[in-house]
Amino acid sequence: MASEKKMDCVILGLLSHESLTGYEIKKRMDTSLNYFWGASFGSIYPTLSSMLDNGLVTKSDDTDSGRNKQIYSITQKGREYLLDWLKRPVEKDIMRYETLMKIFFGNEGGEEITAQHINAFKTKIQRELSKLFCIEKILQDCLNDDSTHKYYLLTVQFGIKTYSAYLEWCDDALKTLSEK
Amino acid sequence: MASEKKMDCVILGLLSHESLTGYEIKKRMDTSLNYFWGASFGSIYPTLSSMLDNGLVTKSDDTDSGRNKQIYSITQKGREYLLDWLKRPVEKDIMRYETLMKIFFGNEGGEEITAQHINAFKTKIQRELSKLFCIEKILQDCLNDDSTHKYYLLTVQFGIKTYSAYLEWCDDALKTLSEK
DNA sequence: CTTACCATGTAAGGCGTTACATGATTCA
DNA sequence: TGAATCATGTAACGCCTTACATGGTAAG
């Protein structure tokens, strides 16, 4: 019943659209996927190796660039594996917000500390939100260039909706906090 | 730089309000904290043991109940440890939404599969949201009984705000999906 | 010429889950 | 009397991060 490792699936998902190096996969994780998924090199490279062994991807050396790049591409088997995962229902969505934990236990620290955490959260979210608005604009402009863009846009809009809600909550919460 | 384990802090936070058994701690995690944190028995009991060794909690046997309960209480040292953590800035808030990943890669599976995931998500969130509304009502009614309740209410309202935003997104997303 | 970025990988170890093991009590 | 819940714990193992280790290239 081994809680299936999702790393394979994220990587295959990225490769389903274009061939990439491990380094590029990491970059995608840190940008496009960053607010709902993440991964380190220490998990990306070993996963790529094992997927190569299992025939889910192929590897080709890129010597052109002068750099020693390993470019990975998805195979037919990999595409089937990905589709199979896509069809299955979601196992779990996880949220681990340390911020909320600090607020939940805020009574121990008091109002001021709690307000500081809310303000720090607000600042962080505002920054993220403006990034998302930029991405939304870019995606909307090239929506018809590629059928994947519609799906990317959906997740960006999810981020915009939720981050906007977070900001509303921050203001309400600061008000509630200061009330007697 | 050991990415500080938060399990201690959650447990200490719960114990800062009332003495509890490991089993009761698990229940709190599954109800009050469940939408922004989680833990299994396999992590709760060992953490309690190590905190006992470190003098952050004390243990007392409850023989009254007929059951063999181990009731844990926070110590002064534990309270200081908790406060110290509360004062420090948040390290990271993590979101790992498999649902969003399936949607991000939705182009590979197609519209119908994606719509199914959105609908399943919507149903789950609706259920969670109505639970949160109940809790909100209860907390509002006994807001002045205990100073901790204000903080609990803040997190519940966070949940309500974000889940409501999720639902709005679901409807928008289903519309966007079906559009050409 | 040196800083930032590109690029790949390994090793150790932390954290936490799942599954296993056990048994008492409550309630229908 | 059997199912659900209360109650505690361990063992194995999976997953992923951090830190380490190495070296090339682009740009200022």
Side-chain angles (χ1 to χ4, degrees):
Chain A
M1 200 87 341
S3 107
E4 187 189 346
K5 149 176 80 173
K6 305 288 160 16
M7 200 73 253
D8 315 33
C9 302
V10 203
I11 293 179
L12 286 174
L14 288 170
L15 295 179
S16 76
H17 186 223
E18 51 182 335
S19 295
L20 297 165
T21 68
Y23 191 85
E24 288 167 331
I25 288 170
K26 172 78 163 97
K27 261 203 304 190
R28 296 284 187 290
M29 301 269 196
D30 292 343
T31 54
S32 314
L33 307 181
N34 111 87
Y35 78 93
F36 64 87
W37 210 262
S40 62
F41 285 125
S43 69
I44 292 170
Y45 287 117
T47 302
L48 282 169
S49 289
S50 85
M51 288 199 298
L52 190 61
D53 294 343
N54 296 329
L56 301 175
V57 297
T58 54
K59 184 170 81 162
S60 70
D61 277 42
D62 176 24
T63 39
D64 304 347
S65 59
R67 289 176 196 263
N68 197 27
K69 283 188 188 178
Q70 311 292 310
I71 302 173
Y72 291 87
S73 305
I74 193 167
T75 62
Q76 185 53 36
K77 194 177 166 191
R79 231 171 255 283
E80 283 160 17
Y81 185 95
L82 175 63
L83 186 59
D84 182 63
W85 169 75
L86 277 172
K87 280 180 187 160
R88 284 205 301 281
V90 167
E91 293 188 347
K92 54 184 160 184
D93 293 321
I94 295 163
M95 194 165 170
R96 286 214 142 192
Y97 270 28
E98 208 190 316
T99 299
L100 286 184
M101 222 172 89
K102 296 217 187 204
I103 287 159
F104 191 83
F105 298 127
N107 189 56
E108 278 291 304
E111 263 179 51
E112 207 188 324
I113 290 176
T114 308
Q116 275 168 28
H117 289 307
I118 295 174
N119 280 312
F121 183 68
K122 188 176 167 181
T123 304
K124 194 179 65 183
I125 295 302
Q126 278 170 333
R127 206 160 20 228
E128 294 300 316
L129 185 56
S130 55
K131 275 194 252 169
L132 287 178
F133 276 126
C134 292
I135 300 171
E136 186 190 31
K137 199 161 180 297
I138 293 165
L139 280 173
Q140 271 166 342
D141 288 345
C142 62
L143 196 56
N144 299 314
D145 297 1
D146 195 309
S147 59
T148 59
H149 291 167
K150 185 157 86 172
Y151 295 91
Y152 298 166
L153 187 61
L154 287 179
T155 62
V156 169
Q157 286 170 341
F158 181 93
I160 289 173
K161 275 267 182 206
T162 62
Y163 282 0
S164 302
Y166 288 0
L167 290 181
E168 276 179 42
W169 171 82
C170 286
D171 292 331
D172 291 356
L174 288 168
K175 227 173 287 169
T176 306
L177 243 197
S178 61
E179 279 165 17
K180 263 283 113 226
Chain B
M1 200 84 344
S3 108
E4 191 188 344
K5 148 177 80 172
K6 303 292 160 13
M7 200 73 253
D8 316 32
C9 302
V10 204
I11 294 179
L12 286 175
L14 289 170
L15 295 179
S16 77
H17 186 223
E18 51 181 337
S19 295
L20 297 165
T21 67
Y23 191 86
E24 287 167 333
I25 288 170
K26 172 78 162 93
K27 261 203 305 191
R28 296 284 187 289
M29 302 269 197
D30 292 344
T31 53
S32 314
L33 306 182
N34 112 87
Y35 77 95
F36 63 87
W37 211 264
S40 62
F41 286 124
S43 68
I44 291 169
Y45 287 117
T47 301
L48 282 168
S49 291
S50 84
M51 290 200 296
L52 190 60
D53 293 342
N54 296 327
L56 301 175
V57 297
T58 54
K59 184 170 82 162
S60 71
D61 276 44
D62 176 25
T63 39
D64 304 346
S65 59
R67 289 174 197 264
N68 197 28
K69 282 189 190 179
Q70 309 293 309
I71 302 174
Y72 290 88
S73 304
I74 193 167
T75 62
Q76 185 53 34
K77 194 177 165 190
R79 231 171 255 282
E80 284 159 18
Y81 184 96
L82 175 63
L83 186 58
D84 182 64
W85 169 75
L86 276 172
K87 281 180 186 162
R88 283 204 303 281
V90 167
E91 293 187 348
K92 53 187 161 182
D93 293 321
I94 296 163
M95 195 164 168
R96 287 214 142 192
Y97 270 28
E98 209 189 315
T99 299
L100 287 183
M101 223 172 88
K102 297 218 186 200
I103 287 159
F104 191 84
F105 299 126
N107 190 56
E108 277 291 305
E111 265 179 49
E112 206 187 324
I113 290 177
T114 308
Q116 275 167 28
H117 290 307
I118 296 174
N119 279 315
F121 183 67
K122 186 176 167 182
T123 304
K124 195 178 63 181
I125 296 300
Q126 278 172 332
R127 204 158 21 225
E128 293 300 317
L129 185 57
S130 55
K131 273 193 252 168
L132 287 178
F133 276 127
C134 292
I135 300 171
E136 186 191 32
K137 198 159 180 301
I138 294 165
L139 280 172
Q140 272 168 341
D141 288 346
C142 62
L143 196 55
N144 300 313
D145 297 1
D146 196 310
S147 57
T148 58
H149 290 167
K150 185 157 84 172
Y151 295 91
Y152 298 166
L153 185 61
L154 287 179
T155 62
V156 170
Q157 286 170 340
F158 181 93
I160 289 173
K161 275 264 181 206
T162 63
Y163 282 180
S164 301
Y166 288 179
L167 291 181
E168 277 179 39
W169 171 82
C170 286
D171 292 331
D172 291 355
L174 288 169
K175 228 173 285 169
T176 305
L177 244 196
S178 61
E179 278 165 16
K180 264 283 114 230

